[in-house]
Structure formats: C-alpha cells, structure tokens
Amino acid sequence: MTTAATPGVGLRRWTAWVRRTWDRAAIYLPIIMMGLLALGTYWLARNTPALLAGPGLQRPPVHEPDYFMRDFSVKTFDPSGRLKSEVFGTEARHYPDTDTLEIDQPRIRAYNERGALTVATAQRAISNGDGTEVQLTGNAVVTREASADAPRMEFQGEFLHVFVDTERVRSHKPVTLVRGKDRFVAEQLDYDNLDRVMELRGRVRGVLVPNARR
C-alpha cells in the first residue's frame, strides 16, 4: 500500500533544509566579508593616488633646497684620517634632485696625496655630492702653493671648473694664468697638474720672465 506525502510535510522539510544551509553559511560569513574588505582596501590603496592625481596633475621633481647652512665650515678626511679638504661659506643650499651644494662666498682648501695645498675662492660655487667637482663663478681664483718641484700657480677668471681628485682645472671662458713670474692670458684653458700639461686655446698672450739663476 503506497501513501503520498502531503504538501505540508514537503514544505516543512524544505524549510528545515534551507534553515540548516543558512546556519552553516552564517559560520563562514564573517570570514568571507573580511576577505572582501581586505581586497577592497588593497585595491583602493593602489589606485587612489593615481585617480586623484591624474596624468596631467603629476608634478615633476622640483629644484628646491632641502636644507641650508650659514657661516659654516665642513671638513673631509680620507680613510687614514688625513685632512683632504675644508670648505667655508656664508651660506650653502643642498638640492636633492641633482645632489649638488650651492655655496655663497666659498673658500675651499684642498690637499692632494703629496700634501700640496690648493686654495679656491669665488662669489659662488656649485659642488657635486662627493665634492670631487667644483664649479666656481664670479671672480674665481684657484691658487696652488709652491712645492719643491713646481712654482706657485694661480688661475683667475669668471668661471673655473676644478676637478679635485684628478687635479685638473678647466674653463671655457677667458682666464689668466700666473706661474711664478710668468703670465698667460687665453680664451680657454685645460690644465692637468698630474701630467703637467697645460693647453691654452683661442687668442693666447704670454709674458715669460727669464730665470735670474740661468
């Protein structure tokens, strides 16, 4: 004998199954919501700056100083503790975008490995980050004191480019060179102290004073 299930019994069974399924899903619902929230936060953090700035509002690096020094003195030493250079100035400004130091009224004293002293002064100087290159502008004067094998030398001009480590002085503008009692004037200069080579270009004029001992 076969009996048919009444509609009320089937509805109760279906309702009970839905309730059990929902109860099981409710256990994992907080975890699912936290995962969705984390994904949304990550996407927002990655894309918000670009969305706010836009391609036309992104600023390039600005040439502005990040720190100043006034009435300062900076010394550098080699690994053995020997003084390599000392820089004085009334004011200095460091620019992080080019890693350069701009100095007003600079006075620079540098010593090479043999202990020879070079002094540089100008109205303004621009030095690279490690101080191996210095560009002097405005009444620039670079003086190398006399040594046992070389007389005193002095470079004068409105622009002098000094390479400290390689002991070179260059200028693409008129310059005056005084070597001992000799004097030269040229439109451009390239002097290499290590190789003792001096190149004067353009219109060159010079005065050579005979050595009295000779």
Side-chain angles (χ1 to χ4, degrees), residues 63-141:
H63 187 65
E64 295 180 351
D66 57 350
Y67 69 81
F68 297 84
M69 295 187 292
R70 292 184 173 90
D71 297 324
F72 66 94
S73 171
V74 177
K75 296 181 180 181
T76 59
F77 301 85
D78 65 10
S80 65
R82 180 182 63 87
L83 178 64
K84 291 183 60 178
S85 65
E86 187 172 12
V87 180
F88 305 86
T90 58
E91 182 174 300
R93 298 164 293 277
H94 179 261
Y95 294 89
D97 59 328
T98 56
D99 191 22
T100 55
L101 189 67
E102 187 178 278
I103 307 170
D104 296 337
Q105 302 299 321
R107 178 177 173 82
I108 305 170
R109 298 169 58 88
Y111 299 87
N112 63 9
E113 295 181 353
R114 300 180 300 277
L117 173 63
T118 299
V119 180
T121 60
Q123 293 180 359
R124 193 179 71 165
I126 299 177
S127 172
N128 62 345
D130 57 6
T132 57
E133 292 186 28
V134 182
Q135 300 181 55
L136 304 168
T137 58
N139 295 325
V141 178

Side-chain angles (χ1 to χ4, degrees), residues 16-85:
W17 177 83
V18 171
R19 185 181 294 111
R20 289 195 301 270
T21 303
W22 174 255
D23 291 340
R24 294 192 186 99
I27 298 175
Y28 301 99
L29 185 61
I31 299 175
I32 297 173
M33 293 298 295
M34 291 178 63
L36 293 175
L37 181 62
L39 289 175
T41 303
Y42 175 75
W43 181 89
L44 189 64
R46 282 182 57 91
N47 293 278
T48 297
L51 293 175
L52 292 178
L57 299 178
Q58 296 179 358
R59 296 180 59 190
V62 179
H63 187 65
E64 295 180 351
D66 57 350
Y67 69 81
F68 297 84
M69 295 187 292
R70 292 184 173 90
D71 297 324
F72 66 94
S73 171
V74 177
K75 296 181 180 181
T76 59
F77 301 85
D78 65 10
S80 65
R82 180 182 63 87
L83 178 64
K84 291 183 60 178
S85 65

Side-chain angles (χ1 to χ4, degrees), residues 110 112 114 118-120 131-136 142-144 153 155 159-171 175 177 189-201:
N112 63 9
R114 300 180 300 277
T118 299
V119 180
T132 57
E133 292 186 28
V134 182
Q135 300 181 55
L136 304 168
V142 175
T143 304
R144 176 176 290 277
M153 297 186 63
F155 304 88
F159 174 82
L160 295 174
H161 195 166
V162 181
F163 299 82
V164 178
D165 288 348
T166 57
E167 300 185 33
R168 298 179 72 107
V169 179
R170 294 177 178 174
S171 180
V175 63
L177 169 63
L189 166 75
D190 189 347
Y191 175 73
D192 186 340
N193 184 67
L194 295 179
D195 294 334
R196 301 297 174 88
V197 176
M198 178 175 59
E199 182 179 355
L200 301 173
R201 296 187 291 269

